[in-house]
Structures are given as structure tokens and as C-alpha cells.
Amino acid sequence: MMDVIQQLREQAKKLLEEKKVDLVIGFGQGTELARTTPVFIDSPEGVSALTWGPFCANNLAKYVADYKNAPGNVAVVVKGCDSRSLIRLLDDNQISRDKVVVIGVPCPGQLEWQKVAAEVKPGASLKETADNGESFSVKTDAGDYSFNKKDYMLHRCLVCENPNPVVSDITIGKELPVKNYEERFAEVSELEQKSTEDKSDYWDKQFSRCLRCYACRNVCSVCTCQVCVFDQMLPMWVSKRTNLSENTAFHITRAFHVAGRCVDCGECDRVCPMDIPLRKLNQKIHKDLGDLFDSPTPGSKPGIPSALGDFSPGDPEEFM
């Protein structure tokens, strides 16, 4: 993947030197081998901090909205799932297309850093990564490792719909085929088979662990309200208490707030410190919207109407 990194740095440097953008948002190496961190580069000399590989899990599209009122233009590095976020932000009029230069990178999947960290010698420094088709090889100064994709990738990557960016001004790397390791809604379908009581028990156990840290909300690229309902004091729709009732209200309310706009990027799952399977909750809504309205994943192409913000006389009426 060194070729991709070099091309990425060259394109970023060119954009900054030619004053086409004032800022490049990309991935940089983190303090741990299996982690990367968002980097914000505003000079050609800083592009050496950019990297790419199977640890670039963050959805950087979230940061673009922070610069929508800033002077000048912004470039952002996106994977396929991230690019859906950009389209959704554009459709929601949260960003202006002429202010964003999209650097798309076809993505063969991202490794789950916790699993990798458990295998790699502590303190090892990353030297190089490579995509071998069904596995990633990771070279470090303490030895070389191989990670099978099916066993080590993030779940969202195992069922990825868009390994290639759906919107891109500059594409770096070769287009990739869609490679799904399991059926997209397999976990949701399994949960649907449970009784009402068992499903309630399942989510009670999940939501009872919630800290209400709001990491899921803060990382979400389609949570764009100027004043969040959960921050309001008058009226206070949901209290600040962390009990099962209030936690459940928080998660169900948020799920319906993003219904029809959630792009299934999986960031809520990734950042939750309590490992609550929030993506499974959102996927249930995705599945139902597909069954009821034949609705594609939001952001997979421009102009997809929000299912809960659009009405058609032909909509099914089975709830009446």
C-alpha cells in the first residue's frame, strides 16, 4: 500500500501548493500500531503525515461539516462508506459541493484494531501493510504478521456494499470488486426470529450498559441538528439520568432521528466504549425500509429521499 500512500501525499501536496484547498483532512499514524488518527494539514510540508492502510477506520466526512462556513476549500480522504456520508450531507444541504475536493481511495476493508493489538507484540512500530486478497500482511520492527480478513475485519467491512467511493474528484488506487463475506442482514434476521420477550431482554441488557457519553451521536455524520434534542433543558425530552428507561429513550429516539439518512458507516458501533451493537439497531431500520419502500442505502447515490421525510401516494398502508 506504499504506492497509494505516495500518490495520496503527492495529490494532497499539489492541491495545497496550487491553492485549490486550504486544508486536507486525512489519516495519520496513531500512537499505537493498530490505530490511525485524523490529521488536518494546511501546508505542503505537512503531507508526509498522511498514511493509508487497513487501520483507517474513521469516517472523516464528519469533519467536513465543521468547515462549511470557513473561508476557502477543504479536501477530504474518503473510503466508500465515508463517501455515502458526503452525499447525504450534500443532500441535506449541510455542505456545499464546490467547497469540497473529494479524494477517494478504494478500500479492501479495515481491521478491528483490538484483535490486531492482541496479536502484535506490545510497543512494536508499524513499517508496512499489504493487501493479499483474503488477508492483510502487517510488517513491524518486531516481526511480520498476517491477518485473515474474514476473522479480523470490522463487521461493517465483511458486508460492505461500496468498496469504491460513490463520489470522488481524485481517485487513488484501483477499483475493487464487491466482496461480501456474509449476508448483510444476517444478524438482524437472527434477532427477528426471537420472541418479543427475548428481543426486549436482549436490548435491555445492551441499553442498561450505556454511559450516555454521546460518543455515538457525536461521531455520527448525519447528526447535524444545530441544537440536539438531548441537550435541550426546556422541554427536557430525555433526562440526564443513566437508567434503563432513559437510556432506551435516548437510543430509540436517535435511531428514528437518523432513519432514512443513516448511511450504515458503522461509526456508532466502533466508538461505543461499552460495545453496544448500535449498528444492529440501525440495520434493522435499513432492512425494514428496504422491505417496505425498496429503499437503497442512503448516500449510495445522490438524491435518495429520506424515507421519513418524503411521501408518495403509493407508500404501503399496512400500519393503518
Side-chain angles (χ1 to χ4, degrees), residues 166-179:
V166 292
V167 58
S168 179
D169 297 312
I170 301 169
T171 302
I172 296 173
K174 297 180 180 179
E175 185 171 316
L176 298 171
V178 176
K179 173 67 174 177

Side-chain angles (χ1 to χ4, degrees), residues 5 38 59 97 133 171 189-190 192 199 225 236 243 261 320:
I5 296 174
N59 182 352
R97 183 65 180 92
T171 302
S189 298
E190 181 181 351
E192 286 176 334
K199 283 186 279 192
C225 293
M236 182 181 287
N243 57 40
R261 296 186 301 117
M320 296 186 66

Side-chain angles (χ1 to χ4, degrees), residues 212 214 227-241 245-251 253-254 257:
R212 296 284 293 283
Y214 294 157
V227 179
C228 178
V229 64
F230 303 118
D231 292 333
Q232 287 185 338
M233 300 301 290
L234 290 174
M236 182 181 287
W237 298 103
V238 180
S239 82
K240 303 299 182 182
R241 290 188 294 271
S245 176
E246 300 295 336
N247 291 352
T248 300
F250 165 71
H251 286 292
T253 300
R254 212 187 79 77
H257 270 202

Side-chain angles (χ1 to χ4, degrees), residues 173-238:
K174 297 180 180 179
E175 185 171 316
L176 298 171
V178 176
K179 173 67 174 177
N180 290 333
Y181 291 86
E182 58 183 75
E183 199 278 319
R184 182 184 175 199
F185 295 115
E187 291 187 335
V188 174
S189 298
E190 181 181 351
L191 189 57
E192 286 176 334
Q193 302 308 310
K194 295 180 180 292
S195 67
T196 301
E197 292 75 14
D198 287 344
K199 283 186 279 192
S200 179
D201 288 343
Y202 174 83
W203 286 112
D204 283 352
K205 290 177 182 177
Q206 303 301 331
F207 295 152
S208 64
R209 297 184 289 115
C210 177
L211 303 174
R212 296 284 293 283
C213 66
Y214 294 157
C216 55
R217 178 199 67 177
N218 295 345
V219 80
C220 180
S221 61
V222 297
C223 269
T224 54
C225 293
Q226 292 298 307
V227 179
C228 178
V229 64
F230 303 118
D231 292 333
Q232 287 185 338
M233 300 301 290
L234 290 174
M236 182 181 287
W237 298 103
V238 180

